[in-house]
Amino acid sequence: MDKSWMHSDRRSKAYEFGVEAFLNFAVENLLTTTHIRCPCVKCVNLKLFGVGIIRVHLYFNGIDQSYKNWTFHGEPWEATTNASRNVEEDDGHSRYSFVSEEIDMDDNDFGDFGSDPYEFANVIGDGDQPVYPGCRKYTKLSALVKLYNLKAKHGMSDVCFTELLILQGDLLPEGNTIPTSMYEAKKTLCALGLSYEKMHACPNDCILYRKEYEDSTNCPTCGISRWKQGKDSILKEGVPAKVVWYFPPIPRFKRMFQSHETAKSLTWHAARKSIDGQMSHPADSPSWKLLDDK
């Protein structure tokens, strides 16, 4: 598909036709018009919107010109040698184990995370670089994670965090790998997260407003409104009374199976064999096998 329009003037016909072609491409591949990642320079594929809002964003903000492979919108991933490497250390411990210990991201900043395993491997590969030539204590990724922790902990604004990054870059020796803006930091860190979905729910937990209830404004079971009631007892239309978070398991399994050591542990019960024919583990029991069959 021709993507030259991404570099065209936003007032030109080429850009207009390109936006429509992109949106049609996304709808055809994703089979939805309401939950599509917005590739504008402000959202950078971190937030989900309907086609109409994305069209407005692309005209007002412009498209992220670094988004050359439309993997979030149905285009096949172009694998690279960096992406296919194993993210594993010799001692069997994951090189990115520090992420789960150190990172404390603010979900409002990142919205819906990417879950592409190749993208994650590339970020980890880039994160192996020292934060500046000769530094042994911090890598680019570990330094960025710690800095972002400060932002989340103390409630820094994006502008304040950008200025902090610029100052850090000036203080460190030449050749340092600290990003110079919140935008660049987000693009690096978003690959560390995993996708989730926010669903409107009945305050009494009767239903989720999805599938046949997606357009409903009242619960068909208890009749209570979908929208939040303000202090003046007036319903705030568009503001849900209750939201639940759904964490899809498949992207998490993909992430876990990227590590040979973790994959070995995940498949241990199926791969192990009883040596003496006796039940040495619950996995040898008939109940466990019955559960597997079901």
mmCIF file of all heavy atoms in Angstrom, residues 151-195:
data_model
loop_
_atom_site.group_PDB
_atom_site.id
_atom_site.type_symbol
_atom_site.label_atom_id
_atom_site.label_comp_id
_atom_site.label_asym_id
_atom_site.label_seq_id
_atom_site.Cartn_x
_atom_site.Cartn_y
_atom_site.Cartn_z
ATOM 1 N N LYS A 151 8.380 10.175 37.938
ATOM 2 C CA LYS A 151 7.254 10.918 37.365
ATOM 3 C C LYS A 151 5.932 10.443 37.969
ATOM 4 O O LYS A 151 5.090 11.245 38.392
ATOM 5 C CB LYS A 151 7.219 10.740 35.850
ATOM 6 C CG LYS A 151 6.026 11.439 35.182
ATOM 7 C CD LYS A 151 5.931 11.071 33.724
ATOM 8 C CE LYS A 151 4.840 11.866 33.010
ATOM 9 N NZ LYS A 151 3.502 11.730 33.615
ATOM 10 N N ALA A 152 5.751 9.110 38.011
ATOM 11 C CA ALA A 152 4.502 8.554 38.521
ATOM 12 C C ALA A 152 4.352 8.791 40.023
ATOM 13 O O ALA A 152 3.260 9.107 40.512
ATOM 14 C CB ALA A 152 4.443 7.060 38.218
ATOM 15 N N LYS A 153 5.449 8.653 40.757
ATOM 16 C CA LYS A 153 5.409 8.785 42.213
ATOM 17 C C LYS A 153 5.090 10.200 42.662
ATOM 18 O O LYS A 153 4.350 10.416 43.627
ATOM 19 C CB LYS A 153 6.751 8.332 42.790
ATOM 20 C CG LYS A 153 6.810 8.333 44.311
ATOM 21 C CD LYS A 153 8.154 7.809 44.798
ATOM 22 C CE LYS A 153 8.233 7.792 46.317
ATOM 23 N NZ LYS A 153 9.538 7.274 46.798
ATOM 24 N N HIS A 154 5.635 11.198 41.964
ATOM 25 C CA HIS A 154 5.485 12.584 42.389
ATOM 26 C C HIS A 154 4.526 13.386 41.514
ATOM 27 O O HIS A 154 4.425 14.608 41.654
ATOM 28 C CB HIS A 154 6.858 13.266 42.422
ATOM 29 C CG HIS A 154 7.821 12.611 43.370
ATOM 30 N ND1 HIS A 154 7.685 12.682 44.734
ATOM 31 C CD2 HIS A 154 8.914 11.838 43.147
ATOM 32 C CE1 HIS A 154 8.664 12.012 45.322
ATOM 33 N NE2 HIS A 154 9.415 11.480 44.388
ATOM 34 N N GLY A 155 3.847 12.717 40.601
ATOM 35 C CA GLY A 155 2.823 13.378 39.802
ATOM 36 C C GLY A 155 3.345 14.457 38.880
ATOM 37 O O GLY A 155 2.704 15.500 38.715
ATOM 38 N N MET A 156 4.506 14.221 38.251
ATOM 39 C CA MET A 156 5.065 15.219 37.329
ATOM 40 C C MET A 156 4.195 15.335 36.080
ATOM 41 O O MET A 156 3.674 14.343 35.583
ATOM 42 C CB MET A 156 6.469 14.802 36.873
ATOM 43 C CG MET A 156 7.535 14.850 37.923
ATOM 44 S SD MET A 156 9.142 14.490 37.161
ATOM 45 C CE MET A 156 10.082 14.055 38.621
ATOM 46 N N SER A 157 4.073 16.537 35.573
ATOM 47 C CA SER A 157 3.388 16.727 34.300
ATOM 48 C C SER A 157 4.313 16.268 33.166
ATOM 49 O O SER A 157 5.521 16.106 33.362
ATOM 50 C CB SER A 157 3.031 18.198 34.106
ATOM 51 O OG SER A 157 4.216 18.978 33.963
ATOM 52 N N ASP A 158 3.736 16.069 31.984
ATOM 53 C CA ASP A 158 4.538 15.653 30.832
ATOM 54 C C ASP A 158 5.589 16.706 30.491
ATOM 55 O O ASP A 158 6.712 16.374 30.116
ATOM 56 C CB ASP A 158 3.634 15.407 29.612
ATOM 57 C CG ASP A 158 2.820 14.129 29.764
ATOM 58 O OD1 ASP A 158 2.994 13.451 30.785
ATOM 59 O OD2 ASP A 158 2.016 13.825 28.859
ATOM 60 N N VAL A 159 5.222 17.991 30.619
ATOM 61 C CA VAL A 159 6.161 19.081 30.315
ATOM 62 C C VAL A 159 7.336 19.048 31.286
ATOM 63 O O VAL A 159 8.504 19.169 30.901
ATOM 64 C CB VAL A 159 5.450 20.446 30.372
ATOM 65 C CG1 VAL A 159 6.453 21.578 30.206
ATOM 66 C CG2 VAL A 159 4.364 20.530 29.297
ATOM 67 N N CYS A 160 7.031 18.850 32.576
ATOM 68 C CA CYS A 160 8.077 18.792 33.603
ATOM 69 C C CYS A 160 9.006 17.604 33.349
ATOM 70 O O CYS A 160 10.236 17.730 33.454
ATOM 71 C CB CYS A 160 7.438 18.688 34.988
ATOM 72 S SG CYS A 160 8.626 18.525 36.339
ATOM 73 N N PHE A 161 8.416 16.456 32.993
ATOM 74 C CA PHE A 161 9.225 15.257 32.758
ATOM 75 C C PHE A 161 10.122 15.438 31.533
ATOM 76 O O PHE A 161 11.273 14.999 31.514
ATOM 77 C CB PHE A 161 8.311 14.046 32.566
ATOM 78 C CG PHE A 161 9.049 12.733 32.520
ATOM 79 C CD1 PHE A 161 9.770 12.282 33.615
ATOM 80 C CD2 PHE A 161 9.005 11.945 31.378
ATOM 81 C CE1 PHE A 161 10.443 11.064 33.574
ATOM 82 C CE2 PHE A 161 9.670 10.732 31.331
ATOM 83 C CZ PHE A 161 10.387 10.292 32.440
ATOM 84 N N THR A 162 9.599 16.085 30.493
ATOM 85 C CA THR A 162 10.396 16.358 29.299
ATOM 86 C C THR A 162 11.602 17.228 29.645
ATOM 87 O O THR A 162 12.727 16.960 29.204
ATOM 88 C CB THR A 162 9.545 17.049 28.220
ATOM 89 O OG1 THR A 162 8.520 16.145 27.775
ATOM 90 C CG2 THR A 162 10.396 17.454 27.021
ATOM 91 N N GLU A 163 11.376 18.270 30.463
ATOM 92 C CA GLU A 163 12.481 19.146 30.855
ATOM 93 C C GLU A 163 13.502 18.396 31.710
ATOM 94 O O GLU A 163 14.713 18.648 31.610
ATOM 95 C CB GLU A 163 11.935 20.356 31.610
ATOM 96 C CG GLU A 163 11.122 21.288 30.717
ATOM 97 C CD GLU A 163 10.695 22.555 31.441
ATOM 98 O OE1 GLU A 163 11.069 22.716 32.618
ATOM 99 O OE2 GLU A 163 9.973 23.373 30.830
ATOM 100 N N LEU A 164 13.019 17.463 32.541
ATOM 101 C CA LEU A 164 13.940 16.646 33.345
ATOM 102 C C LEU A 164 14.805 15.769 32.448
ATOM 103 O O LEU A 164 16.013 15.631 32.676
ATOM 104 C CB LEU A 164 13.144 15.777 34.320
ATOM 105 C CG LEU A 164 13.955 14.770 35.150
ATOM 106 C CD1 LEU A 164 14.933 15.495 36.070
ATOM 107 C CD2 LEU A 164 13.032 13.869 35.972
ATOM 108 N N LEU A 165 14.204 15.183 31.412
ATOM 109 C CA LEU A 165 14.959 14.342 30.477
ATOM 110 C C LEU A 165 16.028 15.156 29.747
ATOM 111 O O LEU A 165 17.164 14.697 29.567
ATOM 112 C CB LEU A 165 14.002 13.697 29.463
ATOM 113 C CG LEU A 165 13.044 12.637 29.999
ATOM 114 C CD1 LEU A 165 12.066 12.208 28.901
ATOM 115 C CD2 LEU A 165 13.804 11.412 30.505
ATOM 116 N N ILE A 166 15.645 16.366 29.325
ATOM 117 C CA ILE A 166 16.604 17.236 28.634
ATOM 118 C C ILE A 166 17.773 17.581 29.559
ATOM 119 O O ILE A 166 18.940 17.547 29.152
ATOM 120 C CB ILE A 166 15.902 18.515 28.129
ATOM 121 C CG1 ILE A 166 14.871 18.167 27.041
ATOM 122 C CG2 ILE A 166 16.925 19.509 27.593
ATOM 123 C CD1 ILE A 166 14.005 19.337 26.619
ATOM 124 N N LEU A 167 17.455 17.898 30.819
ATOM 125 C CA LEU A 167 18.502 18.223 31.787
ATOM 126 C C LEU A 167 19.414 17.027 32.031
ATOM 127 O O LEU A 167 20.644 17.164 32.066
ATOM 128 C CB LEU A 167 17.864 18.687 33.105
ATOM 129 C CG LEU A 167 18.833 19.006 34.255
ATOM 130 C CD1 LEU A 167 19.783 20.130 33.845
ATOM 131 C CD2 LEU A 167 18.076 19.365 35.519
ATOM 132 N N GLN A 168 18.824 15.845 32.162
ATOM 133 C CA GLN A 168 19.619 14.628 32.369
ATOM 134 C C GLN A 168 20.553 14.397 31.187
ATOM 135 O O GLN A 168 21.725 14.038 31.357
ATOM 136 C CB GLN A 168 18.701 13.413 32.529
ATOM 137 C CG GLN A 168 17.988 13.322 33.861
ATOM 138 C CD GLN A 168 18.882 12.773 34.958
ATOM 139 O OE1 GLN A 168 20.005 12.358 34.705
ATOM 140 N NE2 GLN A 168 18.398 12.801 36.184
ATOM 141 N N GLY A 169 20.033 14.617 29.987
ATOM 142 C CA GLY A 169 20.862 14.438 28.796
ATOM 143 C C GLY A 169 22.036 15.397 28.754
ATOM 144 O O GLY A 169 23.132 15.041 28.314
ATOM 145 N N ASP A 170 21.805 16.633 29.245
ATOM 146 C CA ASP A 170 22.885 17.621 29.274
ATOM 147 C C ASP A 170 23.924 17.297 30.345
ATOM 148 O O ASP A 170 25.117 17.553 30.175
ATOM 149 C CB ASP A 170 22.311 19.017 29.529
ATOM 150 C CG ASP A 170 21.551 19.564 28.325
ATOM 151 O OD1 ASP A 170 21.796 19.049 27.203
ATOM 152 O OD2 ASP A 170 20.726 20.473 28.498
ATOM 153 N N LEU A 171 23.469 16.740 31.471
ATOM 154 C CA LEU A 171 24.379 16.439 32.576
ATOM 155 C C LEU A 171 25.264 15.225 32.292
ATOM 156 O O LEU A 171 26.405 15.161 32.750
ATOM 157 C CB LEU A 171 23.580 16.193 33.865
ATOM 158 C CG LEU A 171 22.846 17.405 34.460
ATOM 159 C CD1 LEU A 171 21.988 16.980 35.636
ATOM 160 C CD2 LEU A 171 23.846 18.480 34.907
ATOM 161 N N LEU A 172 24.722 14.270 31.545
ATOM 162 C CA LEU A 172 25.472 13.037 31.262
ATOM 163 C C LEU A 172 26.489 13.273 30.142
ATOM 164 O O LEU A 172 26.344 14.213 29.350
ATOM 165 C CB LEU A 172 24.504 11.921 30.871
ATOM 166 C CG LEU A 172 23.572 11.427 31.989
ATOM 167 C CD1 LEU A 172 22.575 10.415 31.441
ATOM 168 C CD2 LEU A 172 24.367 10.810 33.130
ATOM 169 N N PRO A 173 27.518 12.423 30.050
ATOM 170 C CA PRO A 173 28.535 12.579 28.993
ATOM 171 C C PRO A 173 27.926 12.476 27.598
ATOM 172 O O PRO A 173 26.816 11.957 27.419
ATOM 173 C CB PRO A 173 29.495 11.412 29.255
ATOM 174 C CG PRO A 173 29.271 11.046 30.681
ATOM 175 C CD PRO A 173 27.838 11.324 30.967
ATOM 176 N N GLU A 174 28.644 12.965 26.611
ATOM 177 C CA GLU A 174 28.195 12.892 25.213
ATOM 178 C C GLU A 174 28.021 11.431 24.802
ATOM 179 O O GLU A 174 28.745 10.557 25.247
ATOM 180 C CB GLU A 174 29.208 13.581 24.296
ATOM 181 C CG GLU A 174 29.236 15.085 24.433
ATOM 182 C CD GLU A 174 30.114 15.736 23.376
ATOM 183 O OE1 GLU A 174 30.498 15.024 22.424
ATOM 184 O OE2 GLU A 174 30.407 16.928 23.510
ATOM 185 N N GLY A 175 27.041 11.226 23.917
ATOM 186 C CA GLY A 175 26.779 9.867 23.459
ATOM 187 C C GLY A 175 25.791 9.129 24.342
ATOM 188 O O GLY A 175 25.565 7.924 24.154
ATOM 189 N N ASN A 176 25.169 9.840 25.314
ATOM 190 C CA ASN A 176 24.196 9.174 26.188
ATOM 191 C C ASN A 176 22.917 8.871 25.419
ATOM 192 O O ASN A 176 22.619 9.499 24.401
ATOM 193 C CB ASN A 176 23.908 10.021 27.432
ATOM 194 C CG ASN A 176 23.155 11.298 27.109
ATOM 195 O OD1 ASN A 176 21.953 11.286 26.881
ATOM 196 N ND2 ASN A 176 23.890 12.432 27.080
ATOM 197 N N THR A 177 22.175 7.881 25.916
ATOM 198 C CA THR A 177 20.988 7.383 25.206
ATOM 199 C C THR A 177 19.675 7.804 25.860
ATOM 200 O O THR A 177 18.622 7.242 25.550
ATOM 201 C CB THR A 177 21.038 5.847 25.132
ATOM 202 O OG1 THR A 177 21.178 5.310 26.460
ATOM 203 C CG2 THR A 177 22.215 5.381 24.287
ATOM 204 N N ILE A 178 19.720 8.784 26.755
ATOM 205 C CA ILE A 178 18.489 9.263 27.398
ATOM 206 C C ILE A 178 17.612 9.955 26.362
ATOM 207 O O ILE A 178 18.092 10.823 25.622
ATOM 208 C CB ILE A 178 18.827 10.255 28.534
ATOM 209 C CG1 ILE A 178 19.476 9.517 29.707
ATOM 210 C CG2 ILE A 178 17.589 10.984 29.014
ATOM 211 C CD1 ILE A 178 18.541 8.622 30.476
ATOM 212 N N PRO A 179 16.316 9.588 26.257
ATOM 213 C CA PRO A 179 15.432 10.276 25.315
ATOM 214 C C PRO A 179 15.262 11.740 25.705
ATOM 215 O O PRO A 179 15.432 12.101 26.873
ATOM 216 C CB PRO A 179 14.108 9.506 25.437
ATOM 217 C CG PRO A 179 14.165 8.840 26.757
ATOM 218 C CD PRO A 179 15.608 8.535 27.015
ATOM 219 N N THR A 180 14.914 12.559 24.738
ATOM 220 C CA THR A 180 14.849 14.000 24.984
ATOM 221 C C THR A 180 13.429 14.530 25.139
ATOM 222 O O THR A 180 13.225 15.740 25.239
ATOM 223 C CB THR A 180 15.527 14.758 23.825
ATOM 224 O OG1 THR A 180 14.893 14.380 22.589
ATOM 225 C CG2 THR A 180 17.012 14.425 23.770
ATOM 226 N N SER A 181 12.429 13.643 25.148
ATOM 227 C CA SER A 181 11.050 14.110 25.306
ATOM 228 C C SER A 181 10.185 13.002 25.876
ATOM 229 O O SER A 181 10.529 11.819 25.817
ATOM 230 C CB SER A 181 10.476 14.562 23.956
ATOM 231 O OG SER A 181 10.312 13.454 23.097
ATOM 232 N N MET A 182 9.050 13.400 26.432
ATOM 233 C CA MET A 182 8.078 12.446 26.946
ATOM 234 C C MET A 182 7.559 11.555 25.818
ATOM 235 O O MET A 182 7.296 10.370 26.020
ATOM 236 C CB MET A 182 6.918 13.207 27.610
ATOM 237 C CG MET A 182 5.847 12.318 28.212
ATOM 238 S SD MET A 182 6.493 11.286 29.528
ATOM 239 C CE MET A 182 5.139 10.137 29.740
ATOM 240 N N TYR A 183 7.451 12.140 24.634
ATOM 241 C CA TYR A 183 6.969 11.389 23.471
ATOM 242 C C TYR A 183 7.891 10.207 23.169
ATOM 243 O O TYR A 183 7.437 9.078 22.991
ATOM 244 C CB TYR A 183 6.881 12.335 22.270
ATOM 245 C CG TYR A 183 6.598 11.650 20.948
ATOM 246 C CD1 TYR A 183 5.332 11.156 20.660
ATOM 247 C CD2 TYR A 183 7.591 11.502 19.988
ATOM 248 C CE1 TYR A 183 5.066 10.537 19.454
ATOM 249 C CE2 TYR A 183 7.333 10.886 18.779
ATOM 250 C CZ TYR A 183 6.073 10.405 18.518
ATOM 251 O OH TYR A 183 5.813 9.781 17.330
ATOM 252 N N GLU A 184 9.199 10.451 23.142
ATOM 253 C CA GLU A 184 10.153 9.369 22.871
ATOM 254 C C GLU A 184 10.155 8.343 23.997
ATOM 255 O O GLU A 184 10.266 7.136 23.756
ATOM 256 C CB GLU A 184 11.560 9.948 22.694
ATOM 257 C CG GLU A 184 11.742 10.769 21.431
ATOM 258 C CD GLU A 184 13.161 11.302 21.304
ATOM 259 O OE1 GLU A 184 14.086 10.668 21.851
ATOM 260 O OE2 GLU A 184 13.342 12.355 20.679
ATOM 261 N N ALA A 185 10.034 8.814 25.243
ATOM 262 C CA ALA A 185 10.014 7.897 26.381
ATOM 263 C C ALA A 185 8.798 6.984 26.327
ATOM 264 O O ALA A 185 8.893 5.784 26.591
ATOM 265 C CB ALA A 185 10.017 8.694 27.686
ATOM 266 N N LYS A 186 7.648 7.556 25.953
ATOM 267 C CA LYS A 186 6.426 6.752 25.842
ATOM 268 C C LYS A 186 6.569 5.666 24.790
ATOM 269 O O LYS A 186 6.159 4.523 24.995
ATOM 270 C CB LYS A 186 5.237 7.644 25.485
ATOM 271 C CG LYS A 186 4.516 8.256 26.673
ATOM 272 C CD LYS A 186 3.244 8.934 26.200
ATOM 273 C CE LYS A 186 2.464 9.512 27.358
ATOM 274 N NZ LYS A 186 1.186 10.109 26.923
ATOM 275 N N LYS A 187 7.154 6.013 23.645
ATOM 276 C CA LYS A 187 7.285 5.047 22.563
ATOM 277 C C LYS A 187 8.174 3.876 22.987
ATOM 278 O O LYS A 187 7.997 2.754 22.536
ATOM 279 C CB LYS A 187 7.856 5.720 21.314
ATOM 280 C CG LYS A 187 6.907 6.705 20.672
ATOM 281 C CD LYS A 187 7.349 7.111 19.295
ATOM 282 C CE LYS A 187 7.202 5.994 18.303
ATOM 283 N NZ LYS A 187 7.476 6.424 16.915
ATOM 284 N N THR A 188 9.142 4.151 23.865
ATOM 285 C CA THR A 188 10.016 3.091 24.350
ATOM 286 C C THR A 188 9.315 2.241 25.396
ATOM 287 O O THR A 188 9.341 1.009 25.346
ATOM 288 C CB THR A 188 11.299 3.694 24.965
ATOM 289 O OG1 THR A 188 11.980 4.449 23.968
ATOM 290 C CG2 THR A 188 12.224 2.593 25.475
ATOM 291 N N LEU A 189 8.637 2.888 26.338
ATOM 292 C CA LEU A 189 8.062 2.175 27.465
ATOM 293 C C LEU A 189 6.751 1.471 27.146
ATOM 294 O O LEU A 189 6.395 0.510 27.823
ATOM 295 C CB LEU A 189 7.838 3.138 28.635
ATOM 296 C CG LEU A 189 9.096 3.662 29.323
ATOM 297 C CD1 LEU A 189 8.727 4.676 30.392
ATOM 298 C CD2 LEU A 189 9.900 2.525 29.928
ATOM 299 N N CYS A 190 6.037 1.939 26.129
ATOM 300 C CA CYS A 190 4.722 1.342 25.856
ATOM 301 C C CYS A 190 4.841 -0.120 25.477
ATOM 302 O O CYS A 190 3.932 -0.912 25.724
ATOM 303 C CB CYS A 190 3.987 2.113 24.763
ATOM 304 S SG CYS A 190 4.686 1.935 23.113
ATOM 305 N N ALA A 191 5.993 -0.520 24.881
ATOM 306 C CA ALA A 191 6.169 -1.917 24.486
ATOM 307 C C ALA A 191 6.361 -2.838 25.679
ATOM 308 O O ALA A 191 6.256 -4.054 25.553
ATOM 309 C CB ALA A 191 7.365 -2.043 23.544
ATOM 310 N N LEU A 192 6.656 -2.269 26.873
ATOM 311 C CA LEU A 192 6.842 -3.097 28.058
ATOM 312 C C LEU A 192 5.514 -3.554 28.635
ATOM 313 O O LEU A 192 5.446 -4.527 29.368
ATOM 314 C CB LEU A 192 7.612 -2.321 29.135
ATOM 315 C CG LEU A 192 9.023 -1.873 28.769
ATOM 316 C CD1 LEU A 192 9.598 -1.054 29.896
ATOM 317 C CD2 LEU A 192 9.898 -3.069 28.477
ATOM 318 N N GLY A 193 4.455 -2.814 28.333
ATOM 319 C CA GLY A 193 3.160 -3.138 28.899
ATOM 320 C C GLY A 193 2.422 -4.176 28.077
ATOM 321 O O GLY A 193 2.871 -4.619 27.032
ATOM 322 N N LEU A 194 1.258 -4.590 28.557
ATOM 323 C CA LEU A 194 0.413 -5.550 27.867
ATOM 324 C C LEU A 194 -0.996 -4.980 27.773
ATOM 325 O O LEU A 194 -1.421 -4.185 28.614
ATOM 326 C CB LEU A 194 0.409 -6.886 28.615
ATOM 327 C CG LEU A 194 1.710 -7.685 28.488
ATOM 328 C CD1 LEU A 194 1.741 -8.812 29.503
ATOM 329 C CD2 LEU A 194 1.873 -8.252 27.088
ATOM 330 N N SER A 195 -1.709 -5.418 26.751
ATOM 331 C CA SER A 195 -3.017 -4.836 26.457
ATOM 332 C C SER A 195 -4.054 -5.188 27.513
ATOM 333 O O SER A 195 -3.975 -6.218 28.181
ATOM 334 C CB SER A 195 -3.498 -5.330 25.094
ATOM 335 O OG SER A 195 -3.622 -6.740 25.102
#
